[in-house]
Amino acid sequence: PNREAATQGSELGKEPPVKPYVLVPPPIAPRFPKDRTVDFFPWSGDHPEDVLSEQVTKQGFYDKSQVSQNETNTASTALRQTFKHKSGLQTLSSLFVSIYEQRQAHGRVTAPSTFKPPPRVTLTDTKREAWLRDLANPSVPLRRLSRTIPHGIRGKVLLEQCLGKNIPTARAVWLAKCVGANEMRAFKRKGASGAFALGGEVKWVRDWTVFVEQFLEGVISICGEKDWKSKMDYTARLSSHLFAEHLLDKDHYFGWLLTSFAASSLDKVPIWLLVLQIFWEELIHSRKNGRRLAESLLEKLLAATNYEEKELFIPIVQRLSHLVTRLMVARPSNFVLPKRWSKYQTILHSCVDRGNSITAALYAKVTKRNLRFVDTISRRQDTDVGTSSRSRLIELLDSAGVCFNITEVYSLISNSGQDHRLPIITLLEWMSSSYREGVFRVFVAVRILRKLSEIGTDINGHILDFLARSGKAKGLCKDDECDIRLLAELPLQGLPTHVLNLRRMLLKEAGFNPQHEARSIAEAKGAIAHQLPNLFLTPECEAVSSGPWTEISVSRLSRTVLSEVCHWIRQQVRNHTSMSHSEESSSTEQKISGGEATSVTAHEFDTLRSILESCQDLSILADVLRITMSSNDPNILASIADTLNMNLGSLAAVGAINELFHGLVERERAVSRQMPPEAFLLTSILDVGSRLPGQDEIVRRLRQDLGRCEQLKATTAAWSPISDHMPDALPNTDIREEVERILASGTSMEKHTLTRLFDALLIKLKSVSKHSEEETTNLANLLSRLRRFDVSCFDGLMVASLDRWIGDAGSPCSSDIVAPLVSSGSISLLTLFESSAMYRESNVEDSAKQIKLRATVVFLELVMSERDGASQTSQAAYHWRLKQRRFIDDHALELLTTFVKMIEKNIELKDAAKEAKLNNLLQSPAFTSMLRILIVQSTAAVQRCFASISRKSGSEALLELDHKMDQLLGEDHNPKSDAEVSLVQDDMHGVALELQIIRIMRQLDDLTLPFCQMKLQLLFKGSTLSVTHTEGSQSILISSLYRSISSAVADGSSIWVDAVSVLDNEVVSQIREQAEGQIMSSIPTNKTALAADIDDHDMNRTAALHSLSILAATAYSIPQQGVAELGPNIIENIEGLLQSVSHQGANGDQPSIDRNLSILSDGKQLLGAIYFWVDVLLRVVIIHRGTFQQTKVRTFDQARLLIALCSILVSEYFEDDSDLTDTALDVASCLVDDLPDEARIQCMKYLKERSYDSRLRYLFGYQEGPSDRLKLSQRGKLRPYPLRHWEILPEPTPVVGDNDTSLSLTLFEARKA
C-alpha cells in the first residue's frame, strides 16, 4: 500500500507527507494498572530479547535475577559459633556499625550544587508557539522543556500566554519561576551587588506584581463575554498560586486588592468578593489591611442598602452582611474605626443577629471601644439621660409656632418612662419662665397636659409639686401658701354649689375675704357695661359705679376674676346672635353662612378684642371671633382677620386657627355674593393665609379674587384722564371731598397731577394728625387710593417727603403721620427701613452723620414705640400695631444689627439727645421682647452680630449691650455680701469680673443657656476690646471661669459645655491648657509621689478626672497640627510609670521590695495607682490624637509612644486589667494607622523578640515567613538564611543530578535517593 501511495503521489506531481512510524502495543498484550504493557519492547537489535538463541527459541525470554555465589545458603551456621563467645554481640554490633558507616559515607551527597535555571534562547515564533503547546501538554515532561526557554516571554505577556494556551497552573508557575530566576541572576551578571542588586530585585518583583494585578483586573473587566467564567477561574487560580509561592509583593498586592474593591461598582462587588475571600485569612490578621477591608465592606453595604432599587442587590446585601459578621467574629479589632464610626455604626448594627448572643456581645464591645474615641466637639455628654431629654424637650418647645407639632412633644414625654414628673416639671418651667416670650406657651402647655391626663397621668400632683417648689413665684411668699393661692386663682365655671361653698370656707379660714373677689368681678363687669352699654348694660351692672375698663389694672385681678369676666363677655356676645347661629347649626360653615347676622358693631368688636387680649384668655377670644364671624360688615370681618394675624401663634396653640381661618374665608364668600368684594378685606385674609401652612390653594384663590376686585373698580368709571377734570387750584375748604370727587372722575393720571394731589393731601395730613384720628385715617386712605394710579412715582414722592422731614430737625416725623400711612398701605415699613438704610450705608462726610443717625433713630422709634394719643381700640391703631409686630418678627436680626451700628455711631458722635433716645429704645418692651426671642431662636446669628462690633467703640457699645443682657438675666449690680463687695473692681459697670462669672454659672441651666452664652461672649469680647484691662481682665475671666467649670463638673453638670462653646477658640484653648496642666502636674513621676498619691488618692484622682472631663469637652480647640510640646511630656510620663512598675513583683499582691515604698502594705495599691494614671494618660492621648498624627517631625514620638503601648500589652503586670489593655490596643491601632511604613518596620524590628504576642503581630502585620526559622551555622554562629523562592524549581535541568536543587543538599548532609 505504501508503494501504491508513492506511485500515485508521483503521478500527481506531489510528494506524499512522510508519516513517522508509531509503535502500537498489540491489543492482546497484558497490561499493568497504569495502562503499561508487560514485557513489550520495540525491536532495536541490541536488546537481549532480540537475540534468537537456542534457549530463547525453546524456552522463551525471561528476566533472571543474578544471585551471588556467596549467598547460596543461610549464614546461621557460620555465625552460630561466633555468637556463643562473650564478644559475639559486640562483634555483631561492630559489624553493623561498620556497615552503616560505609553506607552513610558512600550514600551522602557530596557533589556541589549543579542548579542552574533553564537558559533562555531566542526562538522563532513557530518554535515558541510549539514550545508553549508542549508546556500546555501535561504528557511532555518538564525536563525536556527545561533545556531551553523561549526568550521574550515575561511580564503580562507570560500571563496572557498561560491563559490563552490554558497551561496547567503548576506548569505556569514553573515558567514564571524560570523567567524570574533568570531576571534575578541578570542583575548579578550586570555587575550589581549588595544593596544595588537587592534593590533591583525588589523593583522587579514590584513590577511583576503590577503585571499580575493588571492581568487580573483585565479579566475582571471583560465580565459577561464568552468563556469569561473559565478565564476568571483560571486567572484567580493562577494568581492565588503565585501568591502562595511567595512570588508577589504582598503589601502592594493587598493594597491594590483593597483599593480596587473600594473603587468598584456594585455590579462588580461579587467578583471582588470572590477574589478577596481567597486571601481572607491573610487580610484580616493585619491592622493595616483588616481595617481597610472592614471599611470597604461597610461602605459597599451602605451603598447597596441606600440604593434606589435595593431589591436588585438583596443577594449582595446578604453576602456582605455575612462577611461583616464573619470578620467581626474573627477579628473585632478591625472595626475600631474612630474617624468613621458615626457613619458606619448603624449599618454595622444591622448586620448583628439579635438572636445570636455572641455577635451581639461582640458588637457591644466594638461600640464601647469606638466610643472611647468619639469627639465631644459641639455636643454635650450627659451622664444623666434625663438631662438630655430635658434639653430636647425645651428645644422642641422653643420651636413652637404655627407649624408646632404637639404630637412630637407628646411622644417625647410619653417615652420618658412611667413617671412623667421630669418632663412635666420642665414643661411648667418653660411655660412660666421669664426667659421665654409669648402667652401662647400657656396654651401649648395646657394642650400637652390634657393629653397626658387622658392617659391617666397624675397632672395635679406634679403641678402642686411645681407650685410648692416655686416659692418666689407671683403671690407666693412661703411654700405653704401655694395651696391657698391656687384656690384663689381657680376658675369657677362649671363647679357644683357644694364645691364653691367648700372653696369659700377654705379661703375664709385662711384669711382671704371672698367678698373682695365678688366686688372685683362686679366692678369689672360694670366697667365693661358702661363702656359698651348696648351689649352689656343691665340693671345689675348699671347699679355698680365704676370707671372705664382702661382704668382697671388687669395685672392685679386674679385669674378667677378674669375667667369669670371673659366667660360673661362670651355669653353676652352669644346673646346678641340669632339662635340659628349658636344652636341650630353644627358646623362652622353653617354657623357663619346662613341666618341673621350678629348685632355687634365694629367699634364694639374692637373694644371686646382689646379687653379679651388684655385678659390673655385666647380660648374665649377664639369663641368670640367664631360668634362675630356671622357679621355682614366687611370692617368687622377685616378686624377678625387682623385679630387672627396678631394672635396667630396663640390661636394655633389653642388649636382654633385653621377652623377660624376657613370660617372667615367662607364668610367672605357669602358676603361677596351680597355686595361687591372689598379689597381691604381680601388683603387682610390673604395676609393670614400666607402665614398658615397647607393653605396654598386658598391663598391662590384669594389672590385671584383680589385681582378681580381691583379690575372691577378700575372699570366702574369711564376712562378719562383726571387732569381733564382737575381745576387749576384746589379749594381750601374741604380738600378731602374735592380730592374724593377728582379721584372718582377718571382712571388715569399724569405725573404732575399726581404730584399736586399728593402734596395737597400730605400737607392736610400733617396739619390734622395731632387733632383728629378719624380725619387722619381718611386722608391716609385717599393717599392709598392715589398710589394705585402710579406706584413707582407715588413711592418716590413719599420717600422724598419723609427724607425731607427727617433731614429737618425741627419737623419731626412722628408715628401720628407714618402710622396711618402704613396702615392704609400708602407706604410699607420695609420701604422706610430701606430708605434709612441708604443713609446708614452711603459714604458721606462727617457733617452728614447726624442726618444718618437721625434717620435711623426715627425709624427705630416708629417701629419700637407705641403710638402716642391713639385709641388702642380703633381698627387703624390695631392695624398699625400689627404692622409693627410683623415687621419686627420678619426683620428682627436686621433691626438688632441696626441697633448695634447706631450705638457705635452715636459713641463716635457723642450726641446726648440721640443717646437718650437709643437708651429708651433699648429699654422698650418691644426691643426687649425682640431680643429675647432672637437669642432663643437665632443664637448663632446674635453671636455673629455681637462679634462684629469694632474695636474703636467696642468696649462702650458692649457696655450698653451688657446692661441689656443683665436685664434679661434679671441681675442687679449690687453685691449681696461682704465677700462679693471685696471682689468689686474698676471694670465694666462696677461688678467684679470674678463675681460676674460666678453669677452666670450659678444661673446657667437649659432655659437660661442662650442668655448666659451671650453674657459670656460680651464679657470676653469686652475684655478683648478694653484698652486698660486687655491682659489682666482676660486672665481673670479665664481663671474664674475654669474654677466655676470645675465646680460644675464636680456637681455632675455638663451644660457648661454648651455655654463655653460660643467663646473664641483662643479662650477655649486657654481653658483646655489649664486642664492639661492640672492633669500633668498631678501625675506621680516617681515612687515617692506614687506613695503620696496612694495616701491621698481620692482628692488627686477626682481632680484629675474632673480636669479630664474639661479637656475632653474643650478638645475642639486643639489646633489641627496638634500641640507639639505636649507629646514628649505624655510619653515621658507613661515611660516613667512603666519603669515604676518594673520594681514590682510578678504578682500584683506581692509586697513592694523597694525601700522607698516600705510604707505600703502590699504592691497591689501601687499597681492600682499605676493603672489609674496610665489610663488617664491614654485618654489624654486619645483626645490629642492630632498631636501624634503622621508628620516627619513627630514620627519619633509616635514610635516611642507605640513602643510604650506595646510594652503595656506584653507586660505581665497589666494582665489583670483587661479594660486598660484594650484601651492601649485601640490607641496603638489608631497610631499604627497614621504611622509611616519605615517607622512601622523599625518598631517591628525593635519588638521582634516579643513578636510572639498575637496583638503585636496584628498591629504591625508581622507574619512568619517560610524561611524565618531557617538558620545557617557558620563558625559556631547562627545566621538567617533567606530562601530564594524564585529558584525553588522542580526539574530545573534536563539531566537528573544528585545535587541539582537551588538550595544545596550538602548543607543538610542529605543522602542519595
Side-chain angles (χ1 to χ4, degrees), residues 1042 1046 1049 1072 1074-1079 1082 1101-1114 1183:
Y1042 182 80
S1046 300
V1049 173
R1072 173 185 53 79
Q1074 289 198 19
E1076 291 168 355
Q1078 184 71 24
I1079 293 173
S1082 302
R1101 298 181 188 180
T1102 302
L1105 291 176
H1106 293 168
S1107 300
L1108 190 62
S1109 299
I1110 298 174
L1111 174 59
T1114 56
I1183 296 171

Side-chain angles (χ1 to χ4, degrees), residues 764-882:
K764 182 66 175 179
L765 176 66
K766 198 173 179 182
S767 62
V768 303
S769 60
K770 292 290 185 179
H771 307 290
S772 174
E773 181 180 357
E774 182 179 359
E775 183 71 14
T776 303
T777 303
N778 293 332
L779 290 172
N781 291 332
L782 285 177
L783 284 170
S784 177
R785 292 175 58 188
L786 184 64
R787 182 175 181 270
R788 299 170 188 170
F789 290 93
D790 193 340
V791 175
S792 59
C793 178
F794 183 90
D795 289 345
L797 293 173
M798 182 65 72
V799 170
S801 299
L802 294 177
D803 287 348
R804 286 195 301 271
W805 291 349
I806 291 172
D808 185 6
S811 177
C813 183
S814 66
S815 61
D816 295 323
I817 297 176
V818 177
L821 293 176
V822 174
S823 299
S824 64
S826 300
I827 192 171
S828 65
L829 285 175
L830 181 60
T831 303
L832 290 175
F833 182 68
E834 292 174 350
S835 176
S836 63
M838 289 189 296
Y839 280 102
R840 295 194 307 270
E841 298 174 2
S842 59
N843 296 324
V844 295
E845 300 296 333
D846 294 340
S847 59
K849 289 185 178 181
Q850 292 289 346
I851 299 178
K852 298 195 314 182
L853 186 60
R854 171 180 166 78
T856 307
V857 171
V858 167
F859 176 79
L860 294 178
E861 286 179 333
L862 289 173
V863 175
M864 293 294 173
S865 303
E866 295 185 0
R867 185 180 172 188
D868 297 332
S871 173
Q872 297 300 315
T873 61
S874 67
Q875 176 59 18
Y878 192 84
H879 198 69
W880 164 246
R881 293 201 306 273
L882 174 61

Side-chain angles (χ1 to χ4, degrees), residues 12-173:
L12 297 174
K14 295 181 181 179
E15 184 177 355
V18 179
K19 296 182 179 180
Y21 176 76
V22 180
L23 180 65
V24 180
I28 62 174
R31 299 176 181 274
F32 287 114
K34 293 186 178 181
D35 202 24
R36 292 177 56 192
T37 57
V38 179
D39 292 339
F40 178 77
F41 300 97
W43 186 89
S44 59
D46 55 356
H47 196 273
E49 190 178 359
D50 298 339
V51 180
L52 298 177
S53 62
E54 181 180 357
Q55 183 178 1
V56 172
T57 304
K58 292 180 178 181
Q59 301 179 3
F61 179 80
Y62 58 92
D63 291 333
K64 187 176 181 181
S65 59
Q66 299 292 331
V67 180
S68 175
Q69 297 297 326
N70 297 329
E71 298 291 338
T72 57
N73 204 349
T74 179
S76 60
T77 305
L79 295 176
R80 185 179 296 114
Q81 296 299 326
T82 305
F83 289 159
K84 289 181 179 180
H85 296 287
K86 295 180 179 180
S87 59
L89 290 177
Q90 184 176 1
T91 302
L92 182 61
S93 177
S94 300
L95 179 61
F96 275 108
V97 169
S98 177
I99 292 172
Y100 279 115
E101 287 178 354
Q102 292 296 324
R103 179 183 176 183
Q104 187 175 7
H106 292 284
R108 185 176 298 168
V109 176
T110 57
S113 176
T114 59
F115 170 81
K116 286 185 179 181
R120 291 185 293 181
V121 179
T122 302
L123 300 177
T124 61
D125 294 342
T126 305
K127 292 183 178 180
R128 184 173 64 179
E129 290 296 323
W131 188 91
L132 290 173
R133 284 195 299 269
D134 291 341
L135 182 63
N137 186 4
S139 61
V140 179
L142 289 177
R143 287 201 177 273
R144 197 184 82 177
L145 297 173
S146 63
R147 295 174 183 174
T148 56
I149 296 178
H151 207 288
I153 302 178
R154 61 181 180 179
K156 193 175 181 181
V157 176
L158 186 151
L159 299 171
E160 292 174 350
Q161 289 289 350
C162 293
L163 176 62
K165 301 294 189 300
N166 197 20
I167 299 175
T169 306
R171 289 173 164 255
V173 174

Side-chain angles (χ1 to χ4, degrees), residues 205 268 298 414 437 464 521 592 950 1006 1072 1128 1193 1207-1208 1268 1302:
V205 173
K268 298 293 181 65
L298 292 174
S414 301
E437 191 72 25
L464 291 175
I521 294 175
I592 64 174
S950 64
D1006 290 287
R1072 173 185 53 79
V1193 178
S1207 301
I1208 295 175
D1268 287 352
S1302 60

Side-chain angles (χ1 to χ4, degrees), residues 455 594 649 703 831 933 1016:
I455 63 174
R703 293 186 190 278
T831 303
I933 295 174
L1016 282 175

Side-chain angles (χ1 to χ4, degrees), residues 970-1247:
E971 292 184 3
D972 54 18
H973 305 298
N974 298 319
K976 302 293 192 314
S977 63
D978 295 337
E980 294 182 355
V981 172
S982 63
L983 290 174
V984 175
Q985 299 174 354
D986 184 17
D987 59 1
M988 297 177 68
H989 46 75
V991 182
L993 296 176
E994 300 96 328
L995 183 57
Q996 292 189 63
I997 293 294
I998 293 173
R999 287 177 174 176
I1000 293 172
M1001 301 304 292
R1002 187 183 300 161
Q1003 288 183 294
L1004 183 62
D1005 59 20
D1006 290 287
L1007 290 171
T1008 62
L1009 174 62
F1011 302 94
C1012 293
Q1013 287 178 330
M1014 295 296 103
K1015 176 68 175 180
L1016 282 175
Q1017 186 183 25
L1018 290 173
L1019 280 178
F1020 280 93
K1021 182 76 173 178
S1023 65
T1024 304
L1025 299 181
S1026 177
V1027 179
T1028 58
H1029 296 90
T1030 300
E1031 298 180 0
S1033 59
Q1034 185 87 350
S1035 60
I1036 291 173
L1037 283 172
I1038 292 175
S1039 300
S1040 179
L1041 181 59
Y1042 182 80
R1043 289 192 296 270
S1044 299
I1045 290 174
S1046 300
S1047 301
V1049 173
D1051 295 337
S1053 173
S1054 56
I1055 195 173
W1056 63 268
V1057 178
D1058 293 331
V1060 302
S1061 63
V1062 301
L1063 301 179
D1064 293 339
N1065 199 63
E1066 181 181 355
V1067 175
V1068 181
S1069 179
Q1070 294 183 43
I1071 297 174
R1072 173 185 53 79
E1073 290 172 0
Q1074 289 198 19
E1076 291 168 355
Q1078 184 71 24
I1079 293 173
M1080 292 303 167
S1081 61
S1082 302
I1083 297 175
T1085 55
N1086 51 50
K1087 295 294 183 65
T1088 305
L1090 278 171
D1093 176 75
I1094 294 173
D1095 292 339
D1096 196 13
H1097 66 279
D1098 290 338
M1099 182 180 297
N1100 294 338
R1101 298 181 188 180
T1102 302
L1105 291 176
H1106 293 168
S1107 300
L1108 190 62
S1109 299
I1110 298 174
L1111 174 59
T1114 56
Y1116 62 89
S1117 65
I1118 299 176
Q1120 187 176 4
Q1121 66 275 14
V1123 184
E1125 60 274 8
L1126 186 63
N1129 192 7
I1130 295 175
I1131 298 172
E1132 290 173 1
N1133 280 290
I1134 294 178
E1135 291 176 346
L1137 291 171
L1138 293 179
Q1139 292 174 3
S1140 299
V1141 81
S1142 64
H1143 296 284
Q1144 188 67 6
N1147 193 355
D1149 57 3
Q1150 295 292 329
S1152 175
I1153 59 175
D1154 194 341
R1155 294 181 180 179
N1156 293 330
L1157 298 177
S1158 58
I1159 59 174
L1160 297 177
S1161 59
D1162 54 30
K1164 194 171 183 179
Q1165 294 180 347
L1166 174 64
L1167 285 179
I1170 293 176
Y1171 289 167
F1172 174 81
W1173 291 110
V1174 169
D1175 182 69
V1176 169
L1177 287 172
L1178 290 180
R1179 296 182 186 279
V1180 175
V1181 172
I1182 291 173
I1183 296 171
H1184 276 276
R1185 294 194 304 274
T1187 303
F1188 300 95
Q1189 285 179 350
Q1190 178 179 348
T1191 55
K1192 294 182 179 179
V1193 178
R1194 295 177 185 143
T1195 301
F1196 177 71
D1197 292 339
Q1198 280 183 295
R1200 284 181 61 194
L1201 179 58
L1202 193 56
I1203 291 173
L1205 295 175
C1206 293
S1207 301
I1208 295 175
L1209 294 177
V1210 300
S1211 176
E1212 58 183 345
Y1213 305 115
F1214 295 93
E1215 293 178 352
D1216 296 335
D1217 196 338
S1218 59
D1219 290 337
L1220 181 60
T1221 54
D1222 287 345
T1223 304
L1225 176 61
D1226 295 340
V1227 175
S1229 300
C1230 293
L1231 288 176
V1232 167
D1233 294 342
D1234 298 326
L1235 198 66
D1237 292 336
E1238 296 81 3
R1240 184 184 295 108
I1241 294 173
Q1242 294 298 324
C1243 292
M1244 191 189 309
K1245 290 181 179 179
Y1246 181 83
L1247 298 170

Side-chain angles (χ1 to χ4, degrees), residues 827-951:
I827 192 171
S828 65
L829 285 175
L830 181 60
T831 303
L832 290 175
F833 182 68
E834 292 174 350
S835 176
S836 63
M838 289 189 296
Y839 280 102
R840 295 194 307 270
E841 298 174 2
S842 59
N843 296 324
V844 295
E845 300 296 333
D846 294 340
S847 59
K849 289 185 178 181
Q850 292 289 346
I851 299 178
K852 298 195 314 182
L853 186 60
R854 171 180 166 78
T856 307
V857 171
V858 167
F859 176 79
L860 294 178
E861 286 179 333
L862 289 173
V863 175
M864 293 294 173
S865 303
E866 295 185 0
R867 185 180 172 188
D868 297 332
S871 173
Q872 297 300 315
T873 61
S874 67
Q875 176 59 18
Y878 192 84
H879 198 69
W880 164 246
R881 293 201 306 273
L882 174 61
K883 293 289 185 180
Q884 283 180 309
R885 179 176 296 183
R886 286 293 308 276
F887 185 83
I888 293 174
D889 292 342
D890 297 339
H891 303 86
L893 186 60
E894 292 88 340
L895 288 173
L896 178 62
T897 305
T898 302
F899 266 104
V900 173
K901 290 182 178 179
M902 291 304 100
I903 292 173
E904 290 187 272
K905 288 184 178 180
N906 189 65
I907 291 173
E908 297 177 12
L909 297 175
K910 308 276 184 200
D911 190 334
K914 300 297 185 299
E915 182 179 359
K917 289 184 178 182
L918 286 174
N919 289 335
N920 291 333
L921 290 174
L922 287 175
Q923 301 302 321
S924 64
F927 180 81
T928 303
S929 175
M930 181 195 73
L931 183 58
R932 185 180 290 118
I933 295 174
L934 263 182
I935 291 177
V936 173
Q937 297 183 353
S938 304
T939 308
V942 179
Q943 293 170 5
R944 290 191 296 269
C945 179
F946 288 172
S948 64
I949 297 176
S950 64
R951 189 177 186 86

